[in-house]
Amino acid sequence: MVDSAPEFRGFDDFREYALWYLHDVGMTVPEILGHELRIVHAAAPTAEIEFGDWAGRPKWRGPKDLPGGEWNSRDALAILANLGNIQGDTEFGSNELQVGLWDTAPSDYDRKVLLSVMNEEFRHGWQMAHFELEVLGSEEARVAARTLLERRAGAQGNERLLGAFNQKIFNWIGMYSFLEFMDRDGGSQLNLLQRSSVEALAQSMSFMLREEHRHLKAGEQGYERMLEGGRLPIDLLQKYVNLYAPLGYDLHGGERSTNALIYWRLGLKGFYPSSDDYLTGPASAVIDEHLFADLRLREHERAAYGYRFLDLDLDGAAQDINKELLNSITVTFYRRSLVKHFERFNRLILEHYPPGTPKLVLPSLRFHRAAPSIYAGERYDIHGSPIEGEREYEAYLEANLPGAADSERLSEVFARPDWIARTRQDVFARADMLKSGDRASWSTRFGDRRPTRYVTSLARTGGAHAAPSPPRPVATGAAPRAELPLWRFMHEAGAAGADE
Ligand SMILES: [Fe+2]
Ligand SMILES: [Fe+2]
């Protein structure tokens, strides 16, 4: 029994504490406790640093290789501890948002999707804790690893670090929206970090990406199955799109960000990797049309927008832009991959819904954005047209985002077992994604072992944290318990961005 916050020396301590965590948040079904967890490093795409101030040098293997110096008053070790903390936080946060949804799974396949995703996200959190403890090993990294298991999604005062990971998932439309939009942002971040200057981070991402691709696939497939069912009213689904797409945009950080520049200089995150060779083409082609026009406006109207929008270098080739704009390119890749999905989704609506059914709209990057986006505090509709008055805008959000008013219609939908079509393809057919050449270690299966060293609750560790109860979804189709409309509740639950 421990009565104070446990000391973390290495990954062994983390592993023990992780068993306590599983019990504390309610992840105690046999599919999770019986699952084999590992730390896996797979080959990184290159051995040299690909971009930034140290391009061409061998990748850094540990703290002693890291360059000296400070960026925004933080050294490279602190920047890395923070990066691992944010990435790991999203992995455990998504577990907490999804725990218990298995009780309302529409089919055995959906239950398998959920539990496979939860196991893999939990493993990703492990992998980040391993990076903190066994690769970085600084005091800050040790605290980061411990608090990964102590924050809780949506717990006020002890919430997860990013807005989207405090936004409770209430039903299976939310689950598949989360996979389609939030996990796809995870895919963006992992793709960037796979090219990073730190060897262990790049190798971790190489394997995590294989798993993450399955989550993205399951999200896209979930949307296709909901549309093939032909039962879910499109205006209702549109509300979930309106909620989750902007959250996904927000997770990409500010469109202009000093952190993006720092990450680029350190070789951590660069231009979004793509098979089209876009770097020598014009910047206007690789930044979303609305966003490009708005950056241009900010560049020209200096008096209105101030120093923050000088020297964007928007006229030349993509590779010459101010590196503070790198998030603008990444979020554009993200949105354009969604545009392709929406074309397919709309073809399914033509096939499975009555003639004249409205199409699904993917919201503009301008719509419903939170800090640190350049659009935070501005008012637009989903098409990106401005809405003048505050009151008019509030009414628009009320009508176009999920809320308590939808509960009756949702109950009717979920009452029909065929509201979501059966699957034709098992995305999780392979039990694991290991390939020969991967390095796996720390193999662990908890089984029915109970926590031993750590049996205390957060209420008694350190006292700073509230003891949060595990998030439980409300019964299928029911409205959120909060008195507030869902989207407002989410906003107030915490909308801090990763970036500035
Ligand atoms: Fe993940
Ligand atoms: Fe994921």
Side-chain angles (χ1 to χ4, degrees), residues 8-15 18 38-41 61 63 80-81 84-85 88 92 122-138 141-142 144-146 148-149 198-201 203-204 208 439-444:
F8 269 46
R9 285 170 304 280
F11 194 69
D12 237 342
D13 296 314
F14 180 87
R15 178 159 67 169
R38 304 181 187 95
I39 295 298
V40 186
H41 292 96
R61 294 196 152 177
L80 284 167
N85 193 22
F92 292 115
F122 188 69
R123 201 201 70 72
H124 295 175
W126 264 57
Q127 186 90 23
M128 289 297 95
H130 181 271
F131 177 69
E132 297 280 11
L133 292 164
E134 301 289 328
V135 179
L136 302 181
S138 62
R142 285 200 294 270
R146 178 169 60 75
L148 284 178
L149 296 177
V198 179
E199 188 184 66
L201 198 54
Q203 292 175 340
S204 296
M208 283 162 71
R439 280 186 296 118
S441 57
W442 293 96
S443 172
T444 302

Short mmCIF file of all heavy atoms in Angstrom, two decimals, residues 8-15 18 38-41 61 63 80-81 84-85 88 92 122-138 141-142 144-146 148-149 198-201 203-204 208 439-444:
data_model
loop_
_atom_site.label_atom_id
_atom_site.label_comp_id
_atom_site.label_asym_id
_atom_site.label_seq_id
_atom_site.Cartn_x
_atom_site.Cartn_y
_atom_site.Cartn_z
N PHE A 8 8.89 6.74 -9.51
CA PHE A 8 9.12 5.96 -10.73
C PHE A 8 10.59 5.97 -11.07
O PHE A 8 11.16 7.00 -11.36
CB PHE A 8 8.34 6.59 -11.89
CG PHE A 8 6.98 6.02 -12.05
CD1 PHE A 8 6.17 5.85 -10.97
CD2 PHE A 8 6.53 5.62 -13.29
CE1 PHE A 8 4.91 5.30 -11.10
CE2 PHE A 8 5.27 5.08 -13.45
CZ PHE A 8 4.46 4.92 -12.35
N ARG A 9 11.22 4.79 -11.03
CA ARG A 9 12.63 4.72 -11.42
C ARG A 9 12.77 4.20 -12.84
O ARG A 9 13.59 4.65 -13.61
CB ARG A 9 13.42 3.86 -10.44
CG ARG A 9 13.68 4.56 -9.11
CD ARG A 9 14.24 3.61 -8.09
NE ARG A 9 13.36 2.46 -7.89
CZ ARG A 9 12.26 2.48 -7.13
NH1 ARG A 9 11.92 3.58 -6.48
NH2 ARG A 9 11.50 1.41 -7.01
N GLY A 10 11.98 3.24 -13.20
CA GLY A 10 12.11 2.67 -14.54
C GLY A 10 10.79 2.09 -14.99
O GLY A 10 9.75 2.24 -14.33
N PHE A 11 10.84 1.39 -16.11
CA PHE A 11 9.59 0.91 -16.70
C PHE A 11 8.91 -0.16 -15.87
O PHE A 11 7.70 -0.34 -15.93
CB PHE A 11 9.86 0.41 -18.13
CG PHE A 11 8.59 0.21 -18.91
CD1 PHE A 11 7.83 1.29 -19.29
CD2 PHE A 11 8.15 -1.06 -19.23
CE1 PHE A 11 6.64 1.12 -19.98
CE2 PHE A 11 6.96 -1.24 -19.93
CZ PHE A 11 6.21 -0.15 -20.31
N ASP A 12 9.71 -0.88 -15.05
CA ASP A 12 9.13 -1.86 -14.14
C ASP A 12 8.07 -1.25 -13.23
O ASP A 12 7.01 -1.84 -12.99
CB ASP A 12 10.26 -2.40 -13.24
CG ASP A 12 10.35 -3.90 -13.36
OD1 ASP A 12 9.37 -4.51 -13.84
OD2 ASP A 12 11.39 -4.44 -12.97
N ASP A 13 8.39 -0.07 -12.69
CA ASP A 13 7.43 0.61 -11.80
C ASP A 13 6.18 1.01 -12.59
O ASP A 13 5.06 0.89 -12.10
CB ASP A 13 8.06 1.87 -11.21
CG ASP A 13 9.24 1.54 -10.32
OD1 ASP A 13 9.12 0.63 -9.49
OD2 ASP A 13 10.30 2.18 -10.49
N PHE A 14 6.42 1.47 -13.80
CA PHE A 14 5.28 1.89 -14.63
C PHE A 14 4.37 0.70 -14.90
O PHE A 14 3.14 0.79 -14.82
CB PHE A 14 5.77 2.48 -15.96
CG PHE A 14 4.66 2.92 -16.84
CD1 PHE A 14 4.11 4.18 -16.74
CD2 PHE A 14 4.10 2.04 -17.77
CE1 PHE A 14 3.05 4.57 -17.53
CE2 PHE A 14 3.04 2.42 -18.57
CZ PHE A 14 2.52 3.70 -18.45
N ARG A 15 4.98 -0.44 -15.22
CA ARG A 15 4.20 -1.63 -15.56
C ARG A 15 3.29 -2.02 -14.39
O ARG A 15 2.12 -2.34 -14.59
CB ARG A 15 5.15 -2.76 -15.92
CG ARG A 15 4.44 -4.05 -16.24
CD ARG A 15 5.28 -4.98 -17.04
NE ARG A 15 6.42 -5.48 -16.30
CZ ARG A 15 7.18 -6.49 -16.73
NH1 ARG A 15 6.93 -7.05 -17.88
NH2 ARG A 15 8.20 -6.90 -16.04
N ALA A 18 0.54 0.44 -14.05
CA ALA A 18 -0.42 0.31 -15.16
C ALA A 18 -1.50 -0.72 -14.83
O ALA A 18 -2.65 -0.57 -15.24
CB ALA A 18 0.31 -0.08 -16.45
N ARG A 38 3.39 -5.45 -25.37
CA ARG A 38 4.84 -5.44 -25.60
C ARG A 38 5.29 -4.02 -25.89
O ARG A 38 4.49 -3.19 -26.28
CB ARG A 38 5.22 -6.28 -26.82
CG ARG A 38 4.77 -7.70 -26.83
CD ARG A 38 5.28 -8.33 -28.13
NE ARG A 38 4.76 -9.68 -28.32
CZ ARG A 38 3.68 -9.96 -29.05
NH1 ARG A 38 3.00 -9.00 -29.65
NH2 ARG A 38 3.28 -11.20 -29.19
N ILE A 39 6.57 -3.80 -25.73
CA ILE A 39 7.19 -2.60 -26.28
C ILE A 39 7.80 -3.03 -27.61
O ILE A 39 8.50 -4.05 -27.66
CB ILE A 39 8.30 -2.08 -25.33
CG1 ILE A 39 7.70 -1.61 -24.00
CG2 ILE A 39 9.12 -0.98 -25.99
CD1 ILE A 39 6.73 -0.44 -24.13
N VAL A 40 7.51 -2.30 -28.68
CA VAL A 40 8.04 -2.72 -29.99
C VAL A 40 8.72 -1.54 -30.69
O VAL A 40 8.17 -0.44 -30.77
CB VAL A 40 6.93 -3.26 -30.91
CG1 VAL A 40 7.55 -3.82 -32.20
CG2 VAL A 40 6.11 -4.35 -30.22
N HIS A 41 9.94 -1.82 -31.17
CA HIS A 41 10.64 -0.86 -32.03
C HIS A 41 10.82 -1.50 -33.41
O HIS A 41 11.31 -2.61 -33.51
CB HIS A 41 12.01 -0.50 -31.43
CG HIS A 41 11.89 0.29 -30.16
ND1 HIS A 41 11.94 -0.29 -28.91
CD2 HIS A 41 11.69 1.62 -29.96
CE1 HIS A 41 11.78 0.66 -27.99
NE2 HIS A 41 11.62 1.83 -28.60
N ARG A 61 20.45 9.03 -30.16
CA ARG A 61 20.03 7.79 -29.49
C ARG A 61 19.61 8.00 -28.04
O ARG A 61 18.90 7.16 -27.49
CB ARG A 61 21.17 6.79 -29.54
CG ARG A 61 21.45 6.37 -30.96
CD ARG A 61 22.27 5.13 -31.01
NE ARG A 61 21.97 4.44 -32.25
CZ ARG A 61 22.55 3.33 -32.65
NH1 ARG A 61 23.47 2.77 -31.89
NH2 ARG A 61 22.20 2.77 -33.79
N PRO A 63 19.88 10.93 -24.28
CA PRO A 63 20.09 12.30 -23.80
C PRO A 63 21.49 12.83 -24.07
O PRO A 63 21.66 14.01 -24.38
CB PRO A 63 19.84 12.18 -22.29
CG PRO A 63 18.98 10.98 -22.14
CD PRO A 63 19.34 10.04 -23.25
N LEU A 80 11.38 17.02 -25.48
CA LEU A 80 11.03 15.62 -25.77
C LEU A 80 10.15 15.01 -24.69
O LEU A 80 9.22 14.26 -24.98
CB LEU A 80 12.31 14.79 -25.93
CG LEU A 80 13.03 15.01 -27.27
CD1 LEU A 80 14.42 14.40 -27.23
CD2 LEU A 80 12.22 14.40 -28.41
N ALA A 81 10.45 15.34 -23.43
CA ALA A 81 9.61 14.81 -22.33
C ALA A 81 8.17 15.30 -22.52
O ALA A 81 7.20 14.56 -22.32
CB ALA A 81 10.16 15.24 -20.98
N GLY A 84 6.47 13.42 -25.53
CA GLY A 84 6.06 12.07 -25.12
C GLY A 84 4.85 12.12 -24.20
O GLY A 84 3.96 11.27 -24.27
N ASN A 85 4.82 13.14 -23.37
CA ASN A 85 3.71 13.31 -22.43
C ASN A 85 2.41 13.59 -23.18
O ASN A 85 1.36 12.98 -22.90
CB ASN A 85 4.05 14.47 -21.49
CG ASN A 85 3.15 14.55 -20.29
OD1 ASN A 85 2.52 13.57 -19.89
ND2 ASN A 85 3.08 15.72 -19.69
N GLY A 88 1.44 10.39 -25.26
CA GLY A 88 0.96 9.32 -24.35
C GLY A 88 -0.39 9.67 -23.74
O GLY A 88 -1.25 8.81 -23.56
N PHE A 92 -3.94 7.18 -23.49
CA PHE A 92 -4.72 6.77 -22.32
C PHE A 92 -6.06 7.50 -22.27
O PHE A 92 -7.06 6.94 -21.83
CB PHE A 92 -3.92 7.01 -21.03
CG PHE A 92 -2.72 6.09 -20.91
CD1 PHE A 92 -1.44 6.59 -20.93
CD2 PHE A 92 -2.90 4.72 -20.79
CE1 PHE A 92 -0.34 5.75 -20.83
CE2 PHE A 92 -1.80 3.86 -20.69
CZ PHE A 92 -0.52 4.38 -20.71
N PHE A 122 -3.77 1.51 -25.43
CA PHE A 122 -3.10 1.29 -24.15
C PHE A 122 -1.62 0.97 -24.40
O PHE A 122 -0.74 1.51 -23.74
CB PHE A 122 -3.79 0.14 -23.39
CG PHE A 122 -3.29 -0.02 -21.98
CD1 PHE A 122 -3.57 0.94 -21.02
CD2 PHE A 122 -2.53 -1.12 -21.62
CE1 PHE A 122 -3.10 0.81 -19.72
CE2 PHE A 122 -2.07 -1.26 -20.32
CZ PHE A 122 -2.35 -0.30 -19.37
N ARG A 123 -1.38 0.13 -25.40
CA ARG A 123 0.01 -0.21 -25.73
C ARG A 123 0.77 1.04 -26.20
O ARG A 123 1.95 1.22 -25.88
CB ARG A 123 0.03 -1.28 -26.83
CG ARG A 123 1.33 -2.06 -26.90
CD ARG A 123 1.54 -2.73 -28.25
NE ARG A 123 1.81 -1.77 -29.30
CZ ARG A 123 2.96 -1.09 -29.42
NH1 ARG A 123 3.95 -1.30 -28.58
NH2 ARG A 123 3.11 -0.20 -30.38
N HIS A 124 0.12 1.91 -26.96
CA HIS A 124 0.80 3.13 -27.40
C HIS A 124 1.17 4.01 -26.20
O HIS A 124 2.23 4.63 -26.18
CB HIS A 124 -0.10 3.94 -28.35
CG HIS A 124 -0.38 3.23 -29.64
ND1 HIS A 124 -1.24 3.72 -30.59
CD2 HIS A 124 0.09 2.06 -30.13
CE1 HIS A 124 -1.28 2.88 -31.61
NE2 HIS A 124 -0.50 1.86 -31.35
N GLY A 125 0.27 4.06 -25.22
CA GLY A 125 0.59 4.80 -24.00
C GLY A 125 1.80 4.18 -23.29
O GLY A 125 2.70 4.88 -22.81
N TRP A 126 1.83 2.85 -23.25
CA TRP A 126 2.99 2.12 -22.69
C TRP A 126 4.27 2.51 -23.40
O TRP A 126 5.30 2.73 -22.81
CB TRP A 126 2.84 0.61 -22.96
CG TRP A 126 2.27 -0.18 -21.89
CD1 TRP A 126 1.08 0.00 -21.29
CD2 TRP A 126 2.86 -1.35 -21.29
NE1 TRP A 126 0.88 -0.98 -20.37
CE2 TRP A 126 1.95 -1.82 -20.36
CE3 TRP A 126 4.05 -2.03 -21.49
CZ2 TRP A 126 2.19 -2.94 -19.58
CZ3 TRP A 126 4.30 -3.15 -20.73
CH2 TRP A 126 3.38 -3.59 -19.79
N GLN A 127 4.17 2.52 -24.73
CA GLN A 127 5.36 2.77 -25.54
C GLN A 127 5.90 4.18 -25.22
O GLN A 127 7.10 4.38 -25.13
CB GLN A 127 4.98 2.66 -27.02
CG GLN A 127 6.14 2.76 -27.99
CD GLN A 127 6.80 1.41 -28.32
OE1 GLN A 127 6.18 0.36 -28.19
NE2 GLN A 127 8.05 1.47 -28.74
N MET A 128 4.99 5.14 -25.04
CA MET A 128 5.43 6.50 -24.72
C MET A 128 6.03 6.57 -23.32
O MET A 128 6.99 7.29 -23.07
CB MET A 128 4.26 7.49 -24.87
CG MET A 128 3.84 7.73 -26.31
SD MET A 128 5.17 8.49 -27.30
CE MET A 128 5.90 7.07 -28.03
N ALA A 129 5.46 5.81 -22.39
CA ALA A 129 6.02 5.78 -21.03
C ALA A 129 7.41 5.14 -21.05
O ALA A 129 8.32 5.58 -20.35
CB ALA A 129 5.09 5.02 -20.10
N HIS A 130 7.57 4.11 -21.88
CA HIS A 130 8.88 3.48 -22.02
C HIS A 130 9.89 4.49 -22.57
O HIS A 130 11.03 4.58 -22.10
CB HIS A 130 8.77 2.27 -22.98
CG HIS A 130 10.05 1.53 -23.17
ND1 HIS A 130 10.96 1.87 -24.15
CD2 HIS A 130 10.58 0.48 -22.49
CE1 HIS A 130 11.99 1.04 -24.08
NE2 HIS A 130 11.79 0.20 -23.08
N PHE A 131 9.45 5.30 -23.54
CA PHE A 131 10.32 6.34 -24.09
C PHE A 131 10.73 7.31 -22.99
O PHE A 131 11.91 7.68 -22.86
CB PHE A 131 9.58 7.06 -25.23
CG PHE A 131 10.34 8.20 -25.83
CD1 PHE A 131 11.49 7.98 -26.57
CD2 PHE A 131 9.91 9.50 -25.64
CE1 PHE A 131 12.20 9.04 -27.13
CE2 PHE A 131 10.61 10.57 -26.19
CZ PHE A 131 11.76 10.34 -26.93
N GLU A 132 9.78 7.72 -22.18
CA GLU A 132 10.07 8.66 -21.10
C GLU A 132 11.07 8.07 -20.10
O GLU A 132 12.05 8.71 -19.71
CB GLU A 132 8.79 9.04 -20.32
CG GLU A 132 7.71 9.75 -21.14
CD GLU A 132 7.96 11.24 -21.33
OE1 GLU A 132 9.07 11.71 -21.01
OE2 GLU A 132 7.04 11.93 -21.82
N LEU A 133 10.81 6.82 -19.70
CA LEU A 133 11.57 6.25 -18.58
C LEU A 133 12.88 5.62 -19.00
O LEU A 133 13.89 5.76 -18.32
CB LEU A 133 10.70 5.21 -17.85
CG LEU A 133 9.49 5.79 -17.12
CD1 LEU A 133 8.49 4.70 -16.78
CD2 LEU A 133 9.94 6.52 -15.85
N GLU A 134 12.86 4.91 -20.11
CA GLU A 134 14.05 4.13 -20.48
C GLU A 134 14.92 4.83 -21.52
O GLU A 134 16.08 4.47 -21.67
CB GLU A 134 13.63 2.74 -20.99
CG GLU A 134 12.83 1.91 -19.98
CD GLU A 134 13.68 1.42 -18.80
OE1 GLU A 134 14.88 1.16 -18.99
OE2 GLU A 134 13.11 1.30 -17.69
N VAL A 135 14.37 5.80 -22.24
CA VAL A 135 15.20 6.52 -23.22
C VAL A 135 15.60 7.88 -22.66
O VAL A 135 16.78 8.22 -22.63
CB VAL A 135 14.46 6.68 -24.58
CG1 VAL A 135 15.33 7.45 -25.58
CG2 VAL A 135 14.08 5.32 -25.14
N LEU A 136 14.62 8.68 -22.18
CA LEU A 136 14.94 10.02 -21.67
C LEU A 136 15.46 9.95 -20.24
O LEU A 136 16.55 10.41 -19.94
CB LEU A 136 13.73 10.94 -21.76
CG LEU A 136 13.12 11.14 -23.16
CD1 LEU A 136 11.94 12.10 -23.10
CD2 LEU A 136 14.18 11.67 -24.14
N GLY A 137 14.66 9.38 -19.34
CA GLY A 137 15.11 9.14 -17.96
C GLY A 137 15.31 10.37 -17.09
O GLY A 137 15.81 10.26 -15.97
N SER A 138 14.92 11.56 -17.55
CA SER A 138 15.08 12.75 -16.71
C SER A 138 13.98 12.77 -15.65
O SER A 138 12.99 12.03 -15.75
CB SER A 138 14.97 14.01 -17.58
OG SER A 138 13.68 14.08 -18.17
N ALA A 141 10.76 13.55 -17.22
CA ALA A 141 10.23 12.42 -17.99
C ALA A 141 9.60 11.39 -17.04
O ALA A 141 8.58 10.78 -17.37
CB ALA A 141 11.34 11.78 -18.81
N ARG A 142 10.21 11.22 -15.85
CA ARG A 142 9.64 10.26 -14.89
C ARG A 142 8.28 10.73 -14.38
O ARG A 142 7.35 9.95 -14.24
CB ARG A 142 10.61 10.05 -13.71
CG ARG A 142 11.81 9.19 -14.08
CD ARG A 142 12.46 8.59 -12.83
NE ARG A 142 13.05 9.63 -11.99
CZ ARG A 142 14.31 10.05 -12.12
NH1 ARG A 142 15.11 9.52 -13.02
NH2 ARG A 142 14.77 10.99 -11.34
N ALA A 144 6.32 12.69 -16.00
CA ALA A 144 5.39 12.59 -17.14
C ALA A 144 4.83 11.17 -17.22
O ALA A 144 3.62 10.97 -17.36
CB ALA A 144 6.09 12.96 -18.44
N ALA A 145 5.71 10.16 -17.10
CA ALA A 145 5.25 8.77 -17.22
C ALA A 145 4.23 8.46 -16.13
O ALA A 145 3.20 7.82 -16.39
CB ALA A 145 6.44 7.83 -17.12
N ARG A 146 4.49 8.91 -14.91
CA ARG A 146 3.56 8.61 -13.82
C ARG A 146 2.21 9.30 -14.04
O ARG A 146 1.15 8.68 -13.91
CB ARG A 146 4.18 9.06 -12.48
CG ARG A 146 3.27 8.85 -11.30
CD ARG A 146 3.97 9.05 -9.97
NE ARG A 146 4.54 10.36 -9.78
CZ ARG A 146 3.83 11.46 -9.50
NH1 ARG A 146 2.53 11.40 -9.37
NH2 ARG A 146 4.44 12.62 -9.35
N LEU A 148 0.83 10.19 -16.69
CA LEU A 148 0.04 9.61 -17.79
C LEU A 148 -1.05 8.70 -17.24
O LEU A 148 -2.13 8.57 -17.81
CB LEU A 148 0.94 8.78 -18.72
CG LEU A 148 1.84 9.54 -19.69
CD1 LEU A 148 2.69 8.56 -20.49
CD2 LEU A 148 1.03 10.43 -20.61
N LEU A 149 -0.74 8.03 -16.13
CA LEU A 149 -1.70 7.10 -15.53
C LEU A 149 -2.59 7.75 -14.49
O LEU A 149 -3.48 7.11 -13.94
CB LEU A 149 -0.96 5.92 -14.89
CG LEU A 149 -0.16 5.04 -15.85
CD1 LEU A 149 0.57 3.95 -15.09
CD2 LEU A 149 -1.08 4.43 -16.90
N VAL A 198 15.04 11.65 -33.30
CA VAL A 198 15.36 10.80 -32.15
C VAL A 198 15.04 9.36 -32.53
O VAL A 198 13.89 9.03 -32.84
CB VAL A 198 14.54 11.24 -30.92
CG1 VAL A 198 14.85 10.36 -29.72
CG2 VAL A 198 14.85 12.69 -30.60
N GLU A 199 16.06 8.52 -32.52
CA GLU A 199 15.92 7.18 -33.08
C GLU A 199 14.79 6.37 -32.43
O GLU A 199 13.96 5.79 -33.13
CB GLU A 199 17.25 6.44 -32.94
CG GLU A 199 17.28 5.12 -33.67
CD GLU A 199 18.59 4.37 -33.42
OE1 GLU A 199 18.83 3.96 -32.27
OE2 GLU A 199 19.35 4.22 -34.37
N ALA A 200 14.77 6.36 -31.10
CA ALA A 200 13.76 5.52 -30.42
C ALA A 200 12.34 5.99 -30.72
O ALA A 200 11.41 5.19 -30.80
CB ALA A 200 14.00 5.50 -28.92
N LEU A 201 12.19 7.30 -30.89
CA LEU A 201 10.87 7.85 -31.19
C LEU A 201 10.44 7.43 -32.60
O LEU A 201 9.32 6.95 -32.81
CB LEU A 201 10.94 9.38 -31.07
CG LEU A 201 9.65 10.17 -30.91
CD1 LEU A 201 8.83 9.66 -29.75
CD2 LEU A 201 9.97 11.65 -30.73
N GLN A 203 11.51 4.87 -34.29
CA GLN A 203 11.29 3.42 -34.32
C GLN A 203 9.98 3.03 -33.63
O GLN A 203 9.30 2.10 -34.04
CB GLN A 203 12.46 2.69 -33.64
CG GLN A 203 13.75 2.82 -34.44
CD GLN A 203 14.93 2.21 -33.72
OE1 GLN A 203 14.89 2.01 -32.49
NE2 GLN A 203 15.99 1.90 -34.46
N SER A 204 9.63 3.75 -32.57
CA SER A 204 8.34 3.50 -31.88
C SER A 204 7.19 3.77 -32.84
O SER A 204 6.23 3.01 -32.94
CB SER A 204 8.18 4.40 -30.66
OG SER A 204 9.16 4.11 -29.70
N MET A 208 3.88 1.75 -34.20
CA MET A 208 2.56 2.28 -33.80
C MET A 208 1.70 2.60 -35.02
O MET A 208 0.48 2.41 -35.00
CB MET A 208 2.74 3.55 -32.94
CG MET A 208 3.16 3.25 -31.51
SD MET A 208 3.86 4.69 -30.66
CE MET A 208 2.41 5.73 -30.42
N ARG A 439 11.86 -5.31 -32.96
CA ARG A 439 12.42 -5.67 -31.64
C ARG A 439 11.32 -5.53 -30.60
O ARG A 439 10.81 -4.42 -30.38
CB ARG A 439 13.58 -4.74 -31.27
CG ARG A 439 14.89 -5.14 -31.95
CD ARG A 439 16.05 -4.30 -31.46
NE ARG A 439 15.89 -2.89 -31.81
CZ ARG A 439 15.78 -1.89 -30.94
NH1 ARG A 439 15.82 -2.13 -29.64
NH2 ARG A 439 15.63 -0.65 -31.35
N ALA A 440 10.92 -6.65 -29.99
CA ALA A 440 9.86 -6.61 -28.98
C ALA A 440 10.46 -6.93 -27.61
O ALA A 440 11.34 -7.77 -27.49
CB ALA A 440 8.78 -7.62 -29.33
N SER A 441 9.99 -6.21 -26.58
CA SER A 441 10.48 -6.46 -25.23
C SER A 441 9.35 -6.20 -24.22
O SER A 441 8.28 -5.74 -24.61
CB SER A 441 11.68 -5.56 -24.93
OG SER A 441 11.33 -4.21 -25.11
N TRP A 442 9.61 -6.48 -22.96
CA TRP A 442 8.66 -6.23 -21.87
C TRP A 442 7.31 -6.93 -22.10
O TRP A 442 6.26 -6.37 -21.78
CB TRP A 442 8.41 -4.73 -21.68
CG TRP A 442 9.60 -3.99 -21.18
CD1 TRP A 442 10.51 -3.30 -21.92
CD2 TRP A 442 10.02 -3.85 -19.81
NE1 TRP A 442 11.47 -2.75 -21.12
CE2 TRP A 442 11.19 -3.06 -19.82
CE3 TRP A 442 9.53 -4.32 -18.59
CZ2 TRP A 442 11.89 -2.73 -18.67
CZ3 TRP A 442 10.22 -3.98 -17.45
CH2 TRP A 442 11.39 -3.19 -17.49
N SER A 443 7.35 -8.13 -22.65
CA SER A 443 6.09 -8.84 -22.88
C SER A 443 5.35 -9.06 -21.55
O SER A 443 5.92 -9.56 -20.59
CB SER A 443 6.41 -10.18 -23.54
OG SER A 443 5.23 -10.93 -23.60
N THR A 444 4.09 -8.67 -21.52
CA THR A 444 3.31 -8.72 -20.27
C THR A 444 1.88 -9.12 -20.56
O THR A 444 1.27 -8.60 -21.50
CB THR A 444 3.26 -7.30 -19.64
OG1 THR A 444 4.58 -6.85 -19.40
CG2 THR A 444 2.49 -7.31 -18.33
#
